[in-house]
């Protein structure tokens, strides 16, 4: 058997940064007999996000970016794309952030395999292959279906739209 991780520490750090970024007011959380106060703490957001960036030798969030919730969210979205590439997280991220339709309608871009020089090879192009051009964006795919066994367990639960 080969062991592999289900979740990486980088994903935990980025998820923590997203959670703190989206807090609009202080929240009290009870875990066992301990109470924790959670708020949009800029130092904590910066610390969690920058641990991921610094590990790769990249610059972290600036003070100007930290003051804007939108900028921090965009930076986290970008970092999740890069950090979690090939880990099947993007499909859930775009749905959770409500940008599924917007991102799926963007043309797919790739390197230019016909480029004769290094500069032209690394030029981003939109492939002309028909299989890339026939992507269908369906609103119902913004949600996943709830399993029938769960619907039977709780009859008052409705299926997600489109299923």
């Amino acid at each position: 058997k080969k062991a592999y991780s289900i979740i990486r520490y980088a994903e935990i750090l980025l998820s923590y940064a997203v959670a703190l970024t989206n807090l609009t007011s202080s929240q009290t959380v009870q875990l066992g007999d301990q109470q924790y106060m959670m708020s949009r703490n800029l130092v904590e957001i910066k610390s969690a996000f920058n641990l991921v960036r610094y590990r790769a030798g990249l610059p972290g969030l600036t003070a100007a970016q930290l003051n804007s919730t939108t900028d921090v969210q965009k930076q986290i979205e970008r970092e999740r794309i890069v950090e979690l590439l090939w880990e099947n997280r993007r499909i859930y991220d775009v749905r959770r952030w409500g940008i599924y339709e917007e991102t799926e309608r963007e043309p797919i871009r790739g390197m230019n395999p016909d480029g004769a020089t290094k500069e032209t090879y690394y030029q981003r192009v939109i492939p002309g292959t028909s299989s890339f051009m026939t992507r269908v964006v369906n609103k119902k795919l913004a949600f996943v279906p709830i399993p029938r066994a769960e619907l039977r367990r709780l009859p008052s639960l409705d299926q997600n739209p489109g299923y």
Side-chain angles (χ1 to χ4, degrees):
K1 288 185 178 184
K2 184 176 180 179
Y4 62 94
S5 61
I6 295 172
I7 189 168
R8 293 190 301 116
Y9 187 52
E11 184 175 2
I12 292 169
L13 290 170
L14 292 172
S15 296
Y16 179 58
V18 168
L20 290 178
T21 298
N22 292 319
L23 280 175
T24 55
S25 63
S26 294
Q27 305 285 326
T28 304
V29 178
Q30 180 84 28
L31 290 174
D33 59 347
Q34 292 277 342
Q35 273 195 341
Y36 299 94
M37 180 65 93
M38 303 299 290
S39 64
R40 188 173 189 275
N41 184 333
L42 298 181
V43 174
E44 283 289 314
I45 294 169
K46 183 177 181 177
S47 174
F49 183 84
N50 287 352
L51 276 172
V52 178
R53 296 284 291 180
Y54 292 162
R55 178 182 53 86
L58 299 169
L61 289 172
T62 64
Q65 289 172 323
L66 275 170
N67 289 327
S68 169
T69 305
T70 308
D71 284 351
V72 173
Q73 180 67 28
K74 289 291 180 197
Q75 289 297 318
I76 292 171
E77 287 176 15
R78 175 75 179 130
E79 192 61 30
R80 285 184 68 90
I81 291 170
V82 173
E83 182 68 32
L84 304 173
L85 185 67
W86 306 116
E87 295 184 29
N88 294 326
R89 302 289 193 241
R90 179 87 176 140
I91 190 170
Y92 301 106
D93 287 346
V94 296
R95 284 159 173 79
R96 184 175 59 251
W97 296 327
I99 59 172
Y100 162 73
E101 292 178 59
E102 172 190 326
T103 58
E104 287 300 305
R105 285 197 172 98
E106 289 177 6
I108 295 173
R109 290 188 173 93
M111 300 303 161
N112 182 5
D114 299 324
T117 66
K118 184 178 179 180
E119 290 76 26
T120 57
Y121 177 81
Y122 287 108
Q123 179 184 3
R124 289 180 164 231
V125 296
I126 298 171
T129 310
S130 62
S131 64
F132 288 110
M133 310 308 269
T134 57
R135 291 190 307 167
V136 176
V137 178
N138 188 336
K139 278 186 176 248
K140 93 172 193 179
L141 296 177
F143 300 100
V144 293
I146 300 171
R148 281 202 170 99
E150 297 300 321
L151 292 171
R152 285 189 201 109
R153 235 183 244 156
L154 187 61
S156 62
L157 185 65
D158 289 333
Q159 183 59 271
N160 280 330
Y163 292 99

